[in-house]
């Protein structure tokens, strides 16, 4: 939700902190700030409303320097975007940055106000640093004051604290919000996400819930908040490189990530597919025949774009494995007290592995005895560590807020799961499994061909950029892709768009169709093709404008060739990947032409790490 960076080491830290924030700005861009301990041992703090460039401008006229510091880029929850609500927040000798939501901040604030504290912001974060200052005055020792403060907090947090009374120390802790520790030869880093520290180290420790880390120039220690016991987790090597997190000549991260999808798909399946034997092998997922034979129902839980991937997976798993599947929005899952037991597979999907609602759903499943597995992109993330098995998507860092390569690699991961399941349980014959694997091997080439010829998509974007509404229609496994296409358009272009199952058109949406309504239809050859043609005729009879993604070749029945974009034939289960690409590109080009901020659309953040 917000981006945190911390640094302690021998080098000047301002550029390290600012570079880290630049790589985390996708997590929030309502305000930004930095705090450093200067050569005189005093805190220097600079904050501003707006994007990181504004903070850079303020630092040019009001520079800070030092070798210990913290920085923050904010996505507003408590308190509107403003300089006074920007982090770091200070009280006495302490400055603090925070990601998360403190649920009991109101009662804590009232208590502190009774003790004489005056608040300068509307944030829950200022309550933490004020509480720390209060605890320090009545506690023997800085570390104990930190522990006492954290134990009084209810909710989620990742915090990093700098203290001018202890100028050679950083203190950090986390609970249900991501925070990693980066290790270099003589420097230590803290960050909300890996891209912030990639230029400096790829050796990281993923902090667990209710752990506190104390950093000094000599080293670090990690302790349990609950009992003070020291912990010694093994550092992990991140297999991303810094170039993967840069734009590499593309105008926007989103465009770069769209064109990275064929590579990302290959990276996702090549480690688990035996190309010679045409088999799928999942050692890390821990889902062998003995477990799969017991599964009577599947729940797939996710948010946003990952939810659309889950909807496609319902078709895949039910079609190939013949097991009933329910798909839930993570934010709704816990509140309905789902019926879970050891005959249920709970599969959660999250790009970041830190999505708060999805993480809570996973905990619910673990508590109720379900078999719990996860599909995530970030190795070592909270959800990956909680789950009983994990399938990584290997998309690499996705910086653009609107998900593209994370979505298509999720579709591929879910396809791999369905094929593996069908093979393990004998639900499909050997020749079907081999054909499924062969179609997957051919998929990246088909994706490349779509991405190499997008002139028609560019022309559509130029023609329709000023329209106020869009409707997306599809059936079967392409129906969730209609939802995803509409989501992409409204996320980054701010055009109102809706996706519908085409069979539902006469149950309401048809009332909206007129000469100002473009209707994007997704057409795959097969038993549903004629039904989609009937929907097209209904739209045309009401003067709606038809645009079509059509499999195989254009159709005269659909309309003029210039209004049809051809998709290469693929299997029922993999065609959603191919149909996604032109919809991503259309949304991107419309947004660029409308002048919106493609990578950082208003009011959105990449990772929703609070409920």
């Amino acid at each position: 939700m917000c981006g945190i960076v911390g640094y302690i080491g021998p080098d000047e830290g301002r550029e390290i902190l600012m570079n880290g924030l630049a790589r985390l700005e996708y997590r929030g861009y309502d305000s930004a700030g930095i705090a450093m301990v200067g050569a005189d041992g005093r805190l220097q703090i600079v904050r501003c409303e707006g994007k990181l460039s504004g903070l850079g401008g303020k630092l040019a006229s009001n520079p800070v320097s030092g070798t210990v510091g913290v920085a923050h880029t904010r996505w507003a929850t408590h308190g509107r975007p403003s300089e006074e609500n920007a982090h770091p927040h200070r009280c006495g000798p302490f400055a603090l940055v925070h990601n998360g939501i403190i649920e009991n901040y109101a009662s804590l604030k009232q208590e502190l106000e009774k003790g004489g504290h005056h608040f300068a912001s509307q944030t829950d974060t200022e309550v933490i640093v004020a509480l720390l200052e209060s605890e320090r005055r009545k506690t023997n020792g800085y570390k104990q004051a930190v522990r006492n403060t954290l134990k009084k907090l209810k909710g989620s947090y990742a915090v990093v604290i700098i203290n001018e009374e202890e100028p050679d120390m950083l203190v950090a802790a986390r609970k249900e919000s991501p925070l990693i520790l980066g290790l270099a030869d003589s420097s230590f880093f803290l960050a909300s996400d890996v891209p912030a520290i990639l230029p400096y180290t790829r050796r990281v420790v993923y902090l667990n819930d209710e752990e506190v880390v104390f950093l000094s120039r000599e080293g670090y220690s990690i302790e349990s908040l609950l009992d003070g016991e020291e912990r010694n987790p093994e550092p992990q090597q991140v297999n991303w490189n810094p170039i993967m997190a840069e734009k590499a000549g593309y105008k926007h991260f989103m465009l770069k990530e769209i064109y990275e999808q064929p590579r990302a798909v290959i990276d996702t399946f090549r480690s688990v597919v035996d190309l010679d034997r045409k088999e799928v092998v999942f050692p890390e997922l821990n889902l062998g025949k003995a477990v799969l034979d017991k599964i009577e129902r599947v729940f797939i839980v996710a948010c946003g774009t990952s939810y659309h991937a889950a909807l496609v997976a319902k078709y895949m798993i039910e079609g190939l494995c013949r097991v009933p599947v329910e798909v839930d929005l993570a934010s709704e899952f816990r509140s309905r007290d789902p019926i879970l037991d050891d005959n249920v597979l709970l599969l959660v999907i999250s790009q970041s592995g830190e999505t708060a609602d999805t993480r809570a759903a996973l905990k619910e499943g673990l508590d109720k005895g379900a078999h719990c597995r996860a599909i995530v992109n970030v190795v070592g993330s909270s959800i990956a560590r909680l789950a009983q098995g994990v399938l990584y998507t290997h998309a690499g860092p996705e910086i653009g807020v609107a998900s593209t390569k994370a979505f298509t690699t999720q579709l591929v991961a879910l396809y791999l799961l369905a094929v593996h399941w069908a093979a393990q349980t004998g639900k499909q014959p050997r020749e079907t499994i081999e054909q499924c694997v062969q179609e997957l091997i051919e998929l990246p080439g088909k994706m490349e061909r779509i991405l190499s010829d997008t002139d028609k998509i560019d022309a559509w974007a130029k023609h329709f950029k000023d329209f106020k509404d869009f409707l997306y229609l599809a059936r079967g496994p392409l129906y969730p892709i209609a939802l995803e296409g509409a989501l992409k358009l409204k996320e980054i272009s701010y055009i109102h768009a809706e996706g519908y199952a085409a069979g539902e058109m006469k149950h309401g949406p048809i009332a909206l169709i007129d000469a100002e309504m473009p209707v994007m239809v997704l057409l795959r050859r097969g038993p549903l093709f004629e039904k989609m043609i009937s929907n097209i005729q209904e739209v045309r009879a009401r003067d709606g404008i038809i645009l079509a993604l059509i499999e195989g070749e254009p159709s005269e029945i659909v309309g003029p060739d210039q209004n049809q974009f051809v998709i290469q034939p693929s299997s029922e289960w993999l065609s959603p990947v191919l149909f996604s690409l032109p919809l991503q590109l259309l949304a991107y080009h419309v947004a660029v032409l409308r002048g919106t901020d493609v990578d950082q659309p208003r009011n959105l953040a990449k990772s929703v790490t609070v409920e």
Side-chain angles (χ1 to χ4, degrees), residues 154-359:
K154 295 179 181 179
S156 62
Y157 59 78
V159 295
V160 182
I161 308 163
I162 189 168
N163 177 5
E164 67 181 12
E165 291 180 346
E166 300 278 357
D168 294 319
M169 179 182 286
L170 284 180
V171 180
R174 66 154 284 175
K175 180 187 176 188
E176 299 179 4
S177 284
L179 193 66
I180 62 171
L181 168 64
L183 311 175
D185 290 339
S186 55
S187 302
F188 301 98
F189 306 84
L190 293 157
S192 299
D193 206 349
V194 170
I197 63 173
L198 281 179
Y200 313 106
T201 183
R202 285 193 277 167
R203 191 163 166 256
V204 304
V205 173
Y206 293 94
L207 299 175
N208 290 312
D209 276 353
E210 296 185 299
E211 286 185 340
V212 188
V213 56
F214 300 97
L215 300 178
S216 69
R217 298 189 187 279
E218 287 71 44
Y220 69 94
S221 64
I222 300 173
E223 300 177 6
S224 165
L225 174 63
L226 300 178
D227 57 20
E229 181 181 347
E230 188 162 348
R231 298 184 176 171
N232 297 289
E234 275 295 314
Q236 298 188 35
Q237 193 75 11
V238 177
N239 59 7
W240 299 348
N241 62 62
I243 295 174
M244 292 175 74
E246 300 295 340
K247 290 182 183 176
Y250 288 92
K251 186 176 181 181
H252 297 96
F253 280 112
M254 183 180 178
L255 187 61
K256 171 179 176 276
E257 289 155 7
I258 288 172
Y259 279 90
E260 286 177 337
Q261 288 176 106
R263 186 273 309 161
V265 164
I266 292 171
D267 288 349
T268 296
F269 74 69
R270 69 179 172 185
S271 63
V272 296
V273 170
D274 185 326
L275 298 179
D276 295 327
R277 300 183 62 187
K278 299 287 197 304
E279 289 181 348
V280 180
V281 182
F282 278 139
E284 289 183 310
L285 199 57
N286 193 25
L287 265 185
K289 186 177 188 308
V291 175
L292 291 171
D293 280 342
K294 288 182 61 177
I295 301 301
E296 297 175 357
R297 291 178 300 142
V298 180
F299 288 85
I300 310 179
V301 178
C303 300
T305 285
S306 297
Y307 173 72
H308 297 156
L311 290 172
V312 177
K314 176 180 173 70
Y315 291 93
M316 292 177 180
I317 295 172
E318 290 187 346
L320 286 170
C321 309
R322 309 309 298 159
V323 178
V325 177
E326 292 186 39
V327 179
D328 272 87
L329 289 164
S331 56
E332 294 291 323
F333 186 68
R334 275 192 310 162
S335 62
R336 68 180 181 86
D337 191 19
I339 301 169
L340 304 173
D341 55 32
D342 63 359
N343 294 317
V344 167
L345 173 65
L346 173 63
L347 181 64
V348 301
I349 311 172
S350 167
Q351 185 281 138
S352 67
E354 303 291 350
T355 309
D357 287 317
T358 307
R359 190 172 183 270

Side-chain angles (χ1 to χ4, degrees), residues 467 512-518 542-545:
F467 280 66
L512 299 173
I513 295 175
D514 59 20
E516 297 299 313
M517 174 67 83
R542 290 154 181 84
D543 298 324
I545 306 163

